Amino acid sequence: MIANIAPEFHRVAPVKLQYPQGTIEFLDEVNWGSAVIRIPWQLYKTYGDTRTMSLYYDNMVKWLAYEAANKAANKGDIPGLGDWSAGDNTTPMQLAVLAGYFTAAHDMAQIAGVLGKESDESKYDALASGLAGEFTTRFRHEDAEGVYYGSDSETANAMALDAGLVPAADRQQVLDRLVASVRKAGDHITSGSVGLGPLFRSLHAGGRDDVIYDMVVNPTSPGYGSLVTSGHTTLSESLDGSGSQNHHFLGQVDAWLVNGLAGINQAAGSVGYRELEIAPAVVGDLTHASGSYRLGKSLTCFAGARPTGLASACPAGRRLPRSGS
């Protein structure tokens, strides 16, 4: 198990609480524990450095094995928190859990592929494929207005889209339902700590930065605008200002300001920002925006040597640019 708080400076009792979305259990949550896989994978994609995922590979294997046993022991439902701190508690907890489990297995297959572990790559590809099928069976719905997932909440549709669990033929319908759920909520963010990233990313990927902008500048609660106008200088645990008053996990807006509004992105399939895509979002009544992203200083490759862990080829005597804005 990867604990939800690590290191655990204060003890959180492993209690069970009944919430509308299901039974909440503290200490253990797939979307939090999967950091053991997602962080090393993100470090590789950002820097082209395989050291972290190589060092902790065995821990990743053990964690996935633990969650498989956890799922079996609980008749297919993994205990957890679901979309913690969400304003909309209708999202089925197991939808958030299963989407997170799928993403972890999918990322693990890619890590195994990069590290040359072919049998593990096949193993985790198969796990991800099975979880994708289960997700579709349990949470895909269709009515007169089209396809939607779970409770048709922001988080439910956004997590399905962001994880790649929506077939291409259905993506526009699900995106439309997502936008409709945002509009129905009065352009408020109702997603919590797990659903917020997928909410921003799926809307951005679908070309709906205008919807994100409307949520971000909305001056009423819950949202960033209301926190600013109420005098907050730190993020609260919930976007209505309640809970802990110094929580970072609702800070997804800062990434969107750079890769959405300013439009500075790594091109699809690129590693270490060797290929860029610049596509600013022209939204709302903005007349000006500027942004920069600094990856780091240039990396020098010396003849006959390659820096430890650098995955890409490093030609002798050449400099690979590693910064840009």
Side-chain angles (χ1 to χ4, degrees):
M1 185 185 77
I2 306 292
N4 289 344
I5 300 174
E8 196 173 47
F9 289 113
H10 66 285
R11 177 66 175 165
V12 177
V15 297
K16 295 184 179 182
L17 300 173
Q18 294 303 317
Y19 274 62
Q21 64 268 41
T23 303
I24 297 294
E25 294 193 38
F26 285 91
L27 289 185
D28 190 9
E29 163 59 44
V30 165
N31 285 287
W32 299 31
S34 63
V36 74
I37 290 174
R38 295 172 115 173
I39 291 175
W41 179 240
Q42 189 63 44
L43 288 171
Y44 167 71
K45 290 196 296 182
T46 304
Y47 300 104
D49 195 325
T50 63
R51 287 175 294 183
T52 307
M53 59 191 195
S54 295
L55 181 62
Y56 293 101
Y57 188 83
D58 289 345
N59 300 76
M60 301 177 202
V61 170
K62 291 176 182 178
W63 178 76
L64 281 169
Y66 163 78
E67 291 299 357
N70 208 5
K71 192 173 189 297
N74 288 279
K75 299 179 181 179
D77 285 353
I78 301 176
L81 296 173
D83 190 21
W84 183 251
S85 74
D88 182 348
N89 282 319
T90 66
T91 304
M93 188 177 74
Q94 289 303 312
L95 182 149
V97 168
L98 199 55
Y101 190 21
F102 163 82
T103 301
H106 180 265
D107 288 353
M108 186 63 171
Q110 295 184 87
I111 289 173
V114 171
L115 297 180
K117 300 178 183 291
E118 295 180 2
S119 61
D120 278 0
E121 182 181 9
S122 298
K123 172 184 176 181
Y124 295 119
D125 263 334
L127 173 60
S129 179
L131 293 171
E134 180 183 347
F135 184 90
T136 299
T137 299
R138 293 183 67 173
F139 300 114
R140 182 188 183 277
H141 306 291
E142 190 169 0
D143 60 16
E145 298 178 11
V147 177
Y148 66 97
Y149 285 79
S151 62
D152 205 17
S153 64
E154 289 178 10
T155 290
N157 288 320
M159 289 197 76
L161 285 166
D162 185 57
L165 289 164
V166 181
D170 293 343
R171 288 189 69 84
Q172 188 58 53
Q173 294 181 61
V174 179
L175 177 64
D176 290 344
R177 296 292 285 252
L178 172 57
V179 172
S181 65
V182 173
R183 299 308 191 198
K184 183 179 179 180
D187 293 331
H188 287 114
I189 298 170
T190 64
S191 295
S193 58
V194 169
L196 187 63
L199 174 64
F200 275 62
R201 290 191 297 268
S202 57
L203 286 170
H204 174 67
R208 297 309 305 265
D209 291 277
D210 60 315
V211 179
I212 299 176
Y213 180 76
D214 290 343
M215 291 190 292
V216 169
V217 300
N218 192 332
T220 59
S221 181
Y224 296 111
S226 64
L227 291 179
V228 172
T229 57
S230 64
H232 278 73
T233 57
T234 56
L235 283 171
S236 54
E237 188 172 0
S238 297
L239 286 176
D240 63 4
S242 63
S244 165
Q245 295 300 296
N246 191 14
H247 246 70
H248 72 281
F249 63 15
L250 295 178
Q252 184 64 31
V253 64
D254 65 352
W256 177 74
L257 291 173
V258 176
N259 58 42
L261 198 60
I264 304 171
N265 289 281
Q266 180 169 207
S270 172
V271 173
Y273 277 75
R274 284 171 173 78
E275 295 180 34
L276 297 178
E277 179 181 271
I278 307 299
V282 182
V283 290
D285 56 359
L286 286 176
T287 59
H288 174 78
S290 63
S292 63
Y293 184 98
R294 186 175 184 86
L295 186 61
K297 296 182 179 180
S298 296
L299 174 68
T300 302
C301 297
F302 297 95
R306 178 185 299 182
T308 302
L310 187 65
S312 61
C314 195
R318 299 203 182 166
R319 287 180 78 82
L320 302 179
R322 297 293 298 279
S323 64
S325 65

